[in-house]
Amino acid sequence: MDSFISVKDMLNTMMMRGQDRELIPFSLTFVTADLKKDTGGKKITYDEAVFVGGPSKRDKARNPNHFANMTRNIRHKNSDRITTIHPHLVIKFNGMLLTQ
């Protein structure tokens, strides 16, 4: 029997920090989607990802407006590459299925 987690609880868990004030890594599987390019549908799994918060230091002029677009930035723990995800396209988070 699978366990379930809500999108709200997933987002709160993504931003949790340990006693050392470092972000706590999590695992997730999500589906890609790009409506502008009409591409996507690939499943991607990150075994250890961390939440990336705040604006990018390189491009302060561009505001991604994560709240309105319902997006979040994450990166693999061992990489500097930032990936933007849509929480509603996440299938599994820390081994639990998402409920909408």
Side-chain angles (χ1 to χ4, degrees):
M1 176 119 182
D2 290 317
S3 300
F4 297 93
I5 188 170
S6 70
V7 172
K8 180 181 175 183
D9 289 340
M10 175 191 72
L11 294 173
N12 288 335
T13 303
M14 285 173 68
M15 294 183 276
M16 289 178 65
R17 294 179 183 266
Q19 289 182 343
D20 58 0
R21 302 299 301 148
E22 293 292 320
L23 290 164
I24 299 171
F26 51 85
S27 66
L28 80 162
T29 300
F30 61 96
V31 178
T32 61
D34 188 332
L35 297 178
K36 291 181 183 176
K37 295 179 184 176
D38 198 27
T39 60
K42 292 191 327 186
K43 278 187 189 178
I44 298 178
T45 299
Y46 284 6
D47 56 343
E48 282 193 311
V50 290
F51 174 76
V52 179
S56 170
K57 302 224 183 308
R58 288 177 285 151
D59 187 7
K60 290 185 180 179
R62 185 175 173 274
N63 180 3
N65 204 358
H66 290 296
F67 182 78
N69 294 324
M70 191 54 184
T71 58
R72 298 296 184 272
N73 285 341
I74 63 168
R75 68 174 173 79
H76 193 276
K77 186 177 178 186
N78 300 324
S79 172
D80 290 334
R81 182 171 176 237
I82 295 174
T83 303
T84 300
I85 62 163
H86 293 268
H88 291 291
L89 295 179
V90 174
I91 300 167
K92 274 192 166 185
F93 180 79
N94 285 341
M96 294 179 276
L97 295 173
L98 252 69
T99 60
Q100 299 299 324

